[in-house]
Amino acid sequence: MARNFFRLFVLLLVWCGILTSLNTLLLFRDKQNVNEYLTSYPDDPTFTTNDTFLVLNYERHTSETVITNGSWKDGYNFPKDLCNAESVNETKMDNVFKNSIMPLPRKKLAYCRVYKGGSTFWRRLLAYLQRNIKSSPFRIKPQDEKNKYSVSCAKNTLNWTYNMLTETRNFMFTRNPYSRILSAYIDKLYSPNPYFWKTLGVVIMKTVGKKPSCGSAVTFRDLVEYIIQTPIEKLDDHFIPIHSICRPCKVHYHYIGKMETFLNDTVNIFDKFQINSSPYITQNFRDEYKKDAIYDTIHAFVAFRHESKKCMSPYTGLQRIWKKLQSRGIISENQSLPLNKKESQNILLSKLLTIVSTKHEKSKTDNLSEQKRKLFIQAYSSIPLPLMYKLQSVYQDDFRLFGYDPFPKSLFGNRTNIMPDMFLV
């Protein structure tokens, strides 16, 4: 009996030794593969540029953008000491993490993509950086996926990804959870977007106990309840907490930027990594950003118009994108939609673009920043306080780790009545 036990013990020791050696070899292989990957990365021959879409007149400037005085050159000082053990099954999130890491081998950079965290802009910019195209990223259409940077670590092992991140200069962007949630709702569910209506919208309606017809009927409160009721690993990527996507507690990011200081942080990233920012970040960057948002919004409405008719009329769709542009501080509330139901049916992209651009110019005399803040507060005033507290708990680690106020007075203070839903159009 004792002899059999001893043999079993020896076999276990041998087996553990084999596993340890195998794991070491795998780690070494991943390390070698990372180095090979970073030193021999081919160009993408399928990449093309297309200037014909430039309906908007983007002026080219070569002067440097001025960084706001007092901005911190190293980005957000991440508090590693506040990191706790993951509260969710991290293994289930491995694919989300790997798919979000976008390496740029030629520059030895790596970017962690966060949806509704400036990712559309950065994927376009990385595409130009990889191919040494010195031009404004806004020259790529927002909806032109084939021209955006799309390489990720999705097909590599977790160890390979972690090793690659130790060999590169890497960065990520974060955003206030309340702002990110509202932005995703307006962009993906409130604005005409048949793809998200059919997928995410239907899931949300089933989750909150509503009959799933058109996902266009999802309210902002429905979305909040979906986030609260759904395990993090099953949430749509637009709503997964950022710390779970990019794992800053395990990855040492050389720069963590914030959407709230997006321009300064973007310029600082170029400065920190010694990349000339002038061909990509122009002095009229903020105007380009807003024009890009206008084009994206209008193009999406026109492109989705036929499919959207199954759920709402073109006029209702236009009313929604008008509210979207007002919520983003692009069009003043004093500027009404100058189209009726008949005019909305088959309006051309160029005409609608002209109308919106004209209204945007007229809106510049108003306090659009204050309007954006007011509508932000108004949106959350339709969410009962008990739901607000539960929503805060879902993102409590993002609030704590990235320095955001989890209980801002504007959203939690002086709440006596639930306000009507501002998105009921």
Side-chain angles (χ1 to χ4, degrees), residues 266-323:
T266 298
V267 175
N268 285 341
I269 286 170
F270 277 95
D271 182 61
K272 184 178 181 66
F273 298 153
Q274 298 179 339
I275 300 172
N276 180 17
S277 65
S278 61
Y280 313 103
I281 311 297
T282 63
Q283 197 155 23
N284 64 336
F285 180 89
R286 289 183 176 88
D287 284 339
E288 284 188 300
Y289 207 99
K290 289 184 177 180
K291 288 178 180 178
D292 188 65
I294 290 172
Y295 180 86
D296 184 30
T297 301
I298 301 306
H299 179 274
F301 167 78
V302 173
F304 293 145
R305 180 165 48 193
H306 178 72
E307 188 70 16
S308 298
K309 285 182 180 179
K310 298 175 183 178
C311 294
M312 67 175 58
S313 69
Y315 181 66
T316 300
L318 272 179
Q319 287 179 303
R320 288 194 174 195
I321 67 167
W322 205 259
K323 176 67 75 173

Side-chain angles (χ1 to χ4, degrees), residues 32-49:
Q32 276 192 318
N33 288 345
V34 166
N35 291 329
E36 292 174 3
Y37 178 75
L38 293 175
T39 55
S40 58
Y41 186 80
D43 288 330
D44 181 358
T46 64
F47 182 83
T48 59
T49 57

Side-chain angles (χ1 to χ4, degrees), residues 26-150:
L26 288 173
L27 288 173
F28 179 73
R29 183 202 65 185
D30 284 338
K31 192 82 171 178
Q32 276 192 318
N33 288 345
V34 166
N35 291 329
E36 292 174 3
Y37 178 75
L38 293 175
T39 55
S40 58
Y41 186 80
D43 288 330
D44 181 358
T46 64
F47 182 83
T48 59
T49 57
N50 181 7
D51 292 334
T52 59
F53 89 98
L54 295 175
V55 181
L56 300 175
N57 180 24
Y58 293 129
E59 294 181 347
R60 295 190 55 156
H61 298 275
T62 56
S63 53
E64 293 273 356
T65 298
V66 178
I67 303 175
T68 304
N69 290 333
S71 62
W72 194 38
K73 284 288 209 177
D74 290 325
Y76 176 65
N77 186 15
F78 186 76
K80 286 274 189 181
D81 58 304
L82 296 181
C83 289
N84 295 327
E86 287 288 337
S87 58
V88 298
N89 189 330
E90 193 177 76
T91 303
K92 293 182 179 179
M93 302 294 289
D94 285 348
N95 287 335
V96 173
F97 168 66
K98 291 192 297 176
N99 195 50
S100 301
I101 300 299
M102 312 190 88
L104 195 68
R106 178 162 293 178
K107 302 292 183 181
K108 288 198 173 182
L109 290 175
Y111 162 63
C112 181
R113 178 197 62 208
V114 172
Y115 288 121
K116 305 311 296 180
S119 61
T120 296
F121 172 82
W122 269 105
R123 286 176 61 203
R124 290 184 286 179
L125 197 151
L126 291 180
Y128 276 176
L129 278 178
Q130 179 62 30
R131 297 160 181 84
N132 291 318
I133 299 174
K134 300 185 184 301
S135 183
S136 169
F138 295 115
R139 294 175 68 85
I140 299 177
K141 289 180 281 188
Q143 73 278 7
D144 191 358
E145 283 296 318
K146 70 176 182 179
N147 281 344
K148 292 179 188 174
Y149 193 75
S150 59

